[in-house]
Amino acid sequence: MCSAKPGGRIVRGWPKTSQVYEVVDAGQAETDPIGRPIVHQSAVEQTTGEALFCDDIPPLKGELFSAAVLSKRAHARIVSVDLSAALSVPGVVNYVDHRDVPGKQRFGLIRADDEDFLAGDEVKYNGQLICCILATSADVARIAARAVVVDYEELPAILSLQEAVASKSFYDEYTAERRVGDVETAFRDAALVFDGEMTVGGQQHFYAEPQSCVCVPLEKGELDCYVSTQAQHTQQMAIVAALALPANRIKIHAKRIGGAFGGKESQAVRVSVPSAVAALKTGKSVRMILTIDEDMQMTGGRHPFLIKYKVACTESGKILALQCDFYQDAGAYVDISPAVLLHALSAIDGVYSIPNVHLKGYCCYTNLQPNTAFRGFGHPQGTVAIESIVQELATRLNLPPLQVREINMYRSGDVSLYNVPIIDNALERCMAECSSMSDYINRVAQVETFNRNNRWRKRGLALTPCKFTLPYDIGFLNQAGALVLVYTDGSVLLTFGGVEMGQGLYTKMAQVASRELQLPLEKIHISETSTASVANATVTGGSSTTETCGMAVLNACQIIRRRLEPYREAEPTATWETWVSSAYLDRVCLSASGFYTPDVVYEYDWKTQTGRLGNYFVFGAACSEVEIDCLTGEHAILRTDIMMDIGKSLNPAIDIGQVEGAFVQGCGLYTMEELRFSDTGALQTCHAGSYKIPAYNDIPAEFNVALLRNSGNRSTIYSSKGVGEPPLLLAASVFLAIKDAIGKNREQTGLSAVFRLDSPSTVERIRLACGDLLVAGGASAAE
């Protein structure tokens, strides 16, 4: 599959893939699309370029284009802003700065008044928005923005997580702690105690469509805002606060957005609010579309973490105690960091039952971009840490890693670290079936043979599980609304409080409506998501939107069905169109609003450490094999096998696509995507030329995905489970396979197989960790 010659690029063969899922029951109606691999409704349009996004909206007459003026200092007082040169550029019409904001100047999701909409007296990170130039074209606006002269008075800056930890630069009010059992006694009595630390680097969202907004002013203070956001209610409330207008004047629209991954929740405010302020000031439509460079400089991404750990275990590998300190780089503002920190703590048990635990989490202030939600929401950092710990434990005890995992694994009837019961054996089944489908036992022997026969090429193999808690642990977020409109020709217009981000939400909701109304999919259309149709919608994310919006759509469709039932009974052989027409003539309402919230909402109180963190788990397991070149640090993923428990899949084609996409995004996080900053706090990896995400040659050469059979979930829509985030955690198998391969090389070199490897495992880190004589000091650098 790959060449074994060292010192050159690893040559991959033709890719192989398989996708295995459970087919629907033979008795299911042919017209019922639930459980079938229906093609994504926008697949053709997105492939051909016909799909419409924010910047595809035709410009209105007199429309203005907005360009951002960003801070060039990490921390400074703004002494003055000279706009004269910019305003003299032909085509420049106006500008907006903090003085143009008529309402509140600051916003925050967790901490009130956290961050300026537009910086006034002080900037806290390189890339913070100071003002916007408005011109008759985007090019003119950007040229003029570069002509703005800002005079700064430098202030002390903290430019790394390590600096923040050393200086105890914490948001103290968000320090978190969790205690279970007695770690001190366990450490005193254990057969083996060891400690260590690792860092997990940040990650850019790198969505296909950058932050974008078009604001159109109407009469009486009304604004139609077309925003590339996954959180329409958040954007609406931020604009309302900034403009001091009621929410019924501000409408947020989106047909679809080109990816988000968490980055278009709070951070979209940095585009939507300045655009709305500019539209209100000028009375003109205002368009603000960031470039990739601008987007990456203005917005944060996944939180970097430093995790220090201490572990106690028995000689057989049973973990007795775990003590962890988490240091999270929140950035220059709080944003949503405390919630991410808490979920990272909640993920540190992985799938393992650990009787004694002491966790502390610190939310660190740095003068870098404020980090925010990202697919996985703290779980990727916690998961790779615990899996690295388990692998280190196995290495220290000279035990097979899979054996150690199985010894410590949760069993049915156990209760997790945050009080969620394990109510079925899906975890054990995922592990067993992944081991079987990957032929794990035989391949361990094959990898050992390869490594004995190749000095400078080594292979590694790792089988790791994942556990992801759903839904939201904050009660009010677990709600959704939907609106179904039936027209007299029988066609149906459907809308709900979830945004199509490429994840196939519109397709799945049309499937739900199709089943409940007993209509072909062609009869159902979804035009857009808008605050004018469904108010107060929860952010689309958290792997929960299909669950909540699906139940709201189901509720609305069932209302319509009940209203039409008398006409069905009176004319059972008639058509849908006849029943609809008859109901209309009888003055029966053919529109219905649906709503959903779970019967039981579980919440966890982080301060008192009481309650229950969620309702159910999504489990999975992945086995990955890699090959590394010990002379160059290059690696290739030879094969990955994934067994994923997502209950009863609503659409296997879309769900398997989510599994594959999330896994590959996780590979980017753990192996290649690296953020680098200058000594002035400027992000240097801020475009596609310097920031590398996985490409064709970075995915597994053989990629097999299977959905666990005979699984279900009684509390959700048609017994499905959330799928968007959990598979990302399984990319830890690639990171640990790389570490396994490095360890084999170190053993052959005469170095310890116990060593530190930080994430991402870039070519530099792999090369240094191999630690041979060609890299002076390589071993000590790795350790």
Side-chain angles (χ1 to χ4, degrees):
M1 188 179 299
C2 294
S3 73
K5 296 180 180 179
R9 185 166 181 82
I10 300 173
V11 179
R12 296 155 43 101
W14 286 102
K16 293 173 60 179
T17 183
S18 68
Q19 301 173 333
V20 180
Y21 58 89
E22 196 170 7
V23 298
V24 300
D25 294 336
Q28 181 170 319
E30 288 291 331
T31 55
D32 182 352
I34 294 298
R36 301 185 190 276
I38 305 297
V39 175
H40 191 296
Q41 287 197 336
S42 298
V44 173
E45 289 81 6
Q46 290 180 218
T47 303
T48 60
E50 296 171 277
L52 300 178
F53 294 89
C54 187
D55 200 27
D56 293 313
I57 300 171
L60 296 177
K61 183 178 180 180
E63 184 168 285
L64 299 177
F65 295 79
S66 177
V69 176
L70 306 180
S71 167
K72 300 300 181 185
R73 301 292 186 274
H75 191 201
R77 290 190 183 90
I78 297 176
V79 177
S80 64
V81 179
D82 185 356
L83 295 162
S84 57
L87 295 176
S88 66
V89 173
V92 170
V93 175
N94 215 319
Y95 71 95
V96 290
D97 63 16
H98 68 100
R99 295 167 296 184
D100 295 306
V101 179
K104 291 185 65 175
Q105 294 280 336
R106 303 170 72 85
F107 72 100
L109 284 183
I110 290 181
R111 186 169 74 173
D113 300 329
D114 182 37
E115 180 178 354
D116 294 311
F117 290 120
L118 293 139
D121 300 326
E122 183 181 359
V123 290
K124 290 190 175 181
Y125 67 94
N126 194 315
Q128 185 168 359
L129 182 63
I130 296 174
C131 62
C132 296
I133 301 297
L134 308 176
T136 54
S137 76
D139 289 340
V140 169
R142 287 196 170 92
I143 290 169
R146 289 194 289 270
V148 175
V149 178
V150 182
D151 186 20
Y152 303 95
E153 179 187 334
E154 297 267 7
L155 296 172
I158 297 173
L159 299 180
S160 72
L161 177 57
Q162 288 69 24
E163 283 184 54
V165 173
S167 60
K168 299 187 185 308
S169 175
F170 306 142
Y171 294 103
D172 289 323
E173 65 269 38
Y174 300 115
T175 297
E177 189 169 13
R178 171 70 165 153
R179 280 184 181 271
V180 174
D182 182 357
V183 295
E184 289 78 11
T185 300
F187 286 134
R188 186 186 65 224
D189 298 339
L192 173 65
V193 177
F194 64 92
D195 58 20
E197 63 181 59
M198 73 176 294
T199 59
V200 184
Q203 184 180 26
Q204 281 286 335
H205 298 94
F206 215 86
Y207 22 66
E209 179 192 26
Q211 300 280 0
S212 306
C213 180
V214 177
C215 283
V216 182
L218 305 171
E219 63 180 15
K220 297 182 179 179
E222 287 182 287
L223 279 177
D224 269 348
C225 302
Y226 300 85
V227 189
S228 182
T229 180
Q230 63 195 102
Q232 292 192 339
H233 181 60
T234 299
Q235 306 311 309
Q236 183 186 39
M237 292 299 105
I239 293 171
V240 161
L243 300 187
L245 290 171
N248 60 8
R249 307 295 173 87
I250 310 299
K251 299 190 290 291
I252 311 295
H253 305 267
K255 192 171 193 67
R256 65 176 62 84
I257 67 175
F261 310 117
K264 292 178 178 177
E265 184 179 353
S266 59
Q267 309 238 337
V269 169
R270 299 195 181 112
V271 170
S272 65
V273 169
S275 301
V277 171
L280 188 69
K281 178 179 179 178
T282 63
K284 300 287 188 180
S285 173
V286 173
R287 181 179 303 248
M288 188 173 187
I289 313 293
L290 300 185
T291 64
I292 291 177
D293 299 43
E294 292 167 342
D295 195 320
M296 295 176 74
Q297 292 173 64
M298 284 177 65
T299 64
R302 192 184 299 280
H303 295 80
F305 271 76
L306 168 64
I307 302 170
K308 300 183 179 182
Y309 57 86
K310 184 178 181 181
V311 182
C313 64
T314 67
E315 292 179 348
S316 63
K318 173 62 182 173
I319 300 174
L320 301 175
L322 173 64
Q323 180 175 301
C324 277
D325 290 336
F326 292 73
Y327 299 92
Q328 171 207 48
D329 186 351
Y333 295 98
V334 169
D335 198 272
I336 206 166
S337 298
V340 175
L341 175 63
L342 294 171
H343 281 269
L345 266 65
S346 79
I348 194 60
D349 62 332
V351 301
Y352 307 112
S353 178
I354 306 173
N356 304 289
V357 176
H358 183 203
L359 310 175
K360 290 201 75 173
Y362 302 89
C363 191
C364 300
Y365 166 82
T366 62
N367 294 108
L368 300 173
Q369 286 91 340
N371 289 308
T372 191
F374 202 132
R375 194 179 201 168
F377 206 79
H379 285 76
Q381 296 94 329
T383 296
V384 76
I386 188 61
E387 292 302 331
S388 296
I389 288 168
V390 170
Q391 186 130 328
E392 180 179 341
L393 188 159
T395 302
R396 287 179 179 274
L397 294 174
N398 196 29
L399 294 171
L402 183 57
Q403 177 181 319
V404 174
R405 288 186 166 90
E406 290 174 339
I407 288 172
N408 288 284
M409 215 162 62
Y410 283 121
R411 309 294 174 187
S412 296
D414 288 346
V415 177
S416 75
L417 179 61
Y418 285 83
N419 306 327
V420 182
I422 313 294
I423 60 174
D424 57 30
N425 65 344
L427 170 59
E428 297 163 73
R429 289 177 57 210
C430 281
M431 289 290 283
E433 295 196 26
C434 182
S435 177
S436 175
M437 72 183 283
S438 64
D439 194 22
Y440 177 78
I441 300 302
N442 288 330
R443 286 172 60 208
V444 168
Q446 293 168 11
V447 166
E448 290 176 353
T449 300
F450 178 91
N451 289 336
R452 281 196 305 270
N453 296 332
N454 291 274
R455 177 62 187 94
W456 300 111
R457 285 284 172 88
K458 298 297 177 187
R459 290 183 179 178
L461 188 69
L463 196 163
T464 64
C466 77
K467 167 178 67 66
F468 197 94
T469 314
L470 288 173
Y472 292 111
D473 60 298
I474 300 173
F476 73 86
L477 294 177
N478 294 291
Q479 59 175 299
L483 179 64
V484 175
L485 306 175
V486 182
Y487 296 96
T488 54
D489 66 349
S491 63
V492 177
L493 182 63
L494 174 63
T495 187
F496 43 85
V499 177
E500 175 60 57
M501 307 183 291
Q503 82 280 41
L505 180 65
Y506 280 11
T507 306
K508 287 184 174 182
M509 294 304 97
Q511 288 177 265
V512 172
S514 173
R515 166 178 276 191
E516 293 305 317
L517 297 175
Q518 298 177 8
L519 285 176
L521 283 168
E522 293 74 22
K523 284 282 187 184
I524 298 161
H525 181 63
I526 303 169
S527 178
E528 67 166 6
T529 304
S530 171
T531 57
S533 300
V534 176
N536 313 318
T538 297
V539 56
T540 301
S543 302
S544 299
T545 308
T546 293
E547 174 183 332
T548 54
C549 286
M551 294 295 278
V553 169
L554 181 147
N555 176 232
C557 290
Q558 288 180 341
I559 293 171
I560 294 291
R561 278 191 65 183
R562 285 196 295 271
R563 291 174 183 167
L564 293 178
E565 195 60 33
Y567 303 95
R568 290 176 181 266
E569 293 175 354
E571 298 183 84
T573 60
T575 63
W576 163 264
E577 289 80 5
T578 299
W579 299 327
V580 167
S581 178
S582 298
Y584 170 73
L585 293 173
D586 283 348
R587 302 179 304 282
V588 172
C589 180
L590 293 174
S591 62
S593 178
F595 184 76
Y596 170 75
T597 188
D599 294 333
V600 179
V601 176
Y602 295 102
E603 294 187 273
Y604 187 83
D605 189 320
W606 295 92
K607 291 183 179 179
T608 64
Q609 299 186 32
T610 58
R612 174 170 157 175
L613 187 70
N615 184 14
Y616 67 91
F617 291 121
V618 175
F619 294 112
C623 177
S624 292
E625 181 180 349
V626 304
E627 183 176 319
I628 66 168
D629 188 321
C630 302
L631 298 179
T632 66
E634 182 188 9
H635 82 274
I637 308 173
L638 307 187
R639 176 175 169 180
T640 291
D641 298 87
I642 294 176
M643 178 60 66
M644 202 74 212
D645 166 35
I646 60 168
K648 300 286 187 184
S649 172
L650 300 185
N651 186 322
I654 286 176
D655 288 340
I656 289 175
Q658 285 290 293
V659 173
E660 294 169 339
F663 179 84
V664 172
Q665 192 170 46
C667 291
L669 166 67
Y670 294 137
T671 70
M672 61 191 302
E673 296 182 44
E674 188 173 27
L675 303 176
R676 295 191 177 184
F677 295 87
S678 72
D679 55 7
T680 62
L683 180 64
Q684 295 178 310
T685 49
C686 61
H687 49 77
S690 58
Y691 185 77
K692 299 301 182 183
I693 66 172
Y696 172 81
N697 276 335
D698 301 306
I699 65 175
E702 182 175 346
F703 200 1
N704 305 307
V705 177
L707 304 183
L708 189 68
R709 295 171 181 267
N710 301 316
S711 177
N713 185 22
R714 291 186 298 273
S715 63
T716 57
I717 181 77
Y718 305 141
S719 297
S720 63
K721 291 185 177 183
V723 67
E725 295 169 284
L728 188 146
L729 313 184
L730 295 176
S733 63
V734 174
F735 177 82
L736 292 171
I738 290 172
K739 191 171 185 180
D740 180 49
I742 295 170
K744 296 299 188 292
N745 182 74
R746 289 171 64 89
E747 286 178 344
Q748 193 166 353
T749 307
L751 298 171
S752 171
V754 176
F755 62 100
R756 173 176 173 175
L757 182 65
D758 291 329
S759 170
S761 54
T762 58
V763 290
E764 296 91 342
R765 285 188 173 133
I766 293 173
R767 181 65 188 95
L768 288 172
C770 284
D772 55 78
L773 297 177
L774 294 176
V775 184
S780 59
E783 293 170 348

